[in-house]
Amino acid sequence: MTTAAVTERSGHVRYTFRVRLSVTARRELEAEWDRCRWVWNESVAKSKQVHQAAKVPGGNGACGPAQLDRMLTEARARTPWLREGSSVPQQQVIRDFGKSRAKALGDIKARVPLRQRAGMPRHKKKREALPSLNYTRRGFRLKDGRLHLAGGIVVRPVWSRRLPEPPSSVRVYRDAVGHWWASFVVPAVTEQLPETGRVIGIDWGVKETATTTSDAHDLPHAQHGRTATQKLARYQRMMARRKPKKGQAASNGYREAKRQTAKLHRKVGAQRQDTARKWAKKVVRDHDALAVEDFRPKFLAKSTMARKAADAAIGATKNALVEMARKHGRIVHLVHPAHTTMDCATCGARTKHALPLSERTYTCTACGVASPRDKNSARVMLVRAGLQPGWY
């Protein structure tokens, strides 16, 4: 199984492959993670120490990457167990810790509301934290279909496709189900498709995930999450019955129920991603330019439509569409969503009051044109993006 995530800001794409491990490789990766987790927890302790010292009059201290690098160097010099592991993932742990701490301090300085702040880094517990090892270019190499990691660890990814370019970094991690994965970061490559001379407008919704100006490219609500609701409720009841008391270790039954819950969540996520990418590829293949509503579905999480909106995965579908368009050299116009349901796509007149969600037909009071509400909004996207002559 492989997936390609959304393009990063630096113009790179992430390809993720399942990893098959021998008993020896699994043991070595888990030992490497124990060392990295120790480095993270020591960084957390150092951060708390610096924070306490700052409260004392005249006390000062720093906890940046330079200070933590020196701490790691000293720890490796006096601890043979830590020195047995590679320094590459340990240094990346310090980089990740620095970014996490800087984000938390930045939110505090900017007076971000408490519920929206990124919390300060906390200790990673052995039974709860999932292994995740990051390797830069000098910490890994690909040879004969195998991934050779620093420290002499060799794993075999399941190559379901070829990497378009040599990777610049790789992250080897274990998910909540217990499967291991290797995620490679490679430079983005454009695969230009032939021109079609067609354009399309796309409006996001809940009744239909995407309504377009072309009936053949509408995306109905797949309801993958609703299909899995019964099984998910069963596993969650099993977890509730077997939940350990505070301070006690979880039982095998609780861990198995938790694993089954995570497995079901991953299946639903994969179904949503598969549906989104197949639809995005069809839209991008058949059109040269796309006018897409720049919709932010976050506010729906506090509405009565929260569950259905989450199941629609509008944000993930939009990201898949934008990434697919970039990959194939198509033009994407992100249109501001303000008043798109109130404007007439034919004459540009705007209704005096917002239309209630129960009203699914848009009727213009100026020109008398009547059309399905979402179809009218999709045509408004085209006009606002300048892809269709209209009232702008």
Side-chain angles (χ1 to χ4, degrees), residues 6 273 276-277 280-281 284 315-325:
V6 180
Q273 186 184 56
R277 289 184 60 82
K281 183 62 176 289
V284 168
T317 306
K318 175 188 166 187
N319 290 339
L321 182 64
V322 173
E323 160 59 14
M324 193 66 69

Side-chain angles (χ1 to χ4, degrees), residues 273-289:
Q273 186 184 56
D274 182 66
T275 299
R277 289 184 60 82
K278 286 179 179 177
W279 172 79
K281 183 62 176 289
K282 180 181 178 182
V283 172
V284 168
R285 184 185 62 235
D286 296 342
H287 301 89
D288 294 339

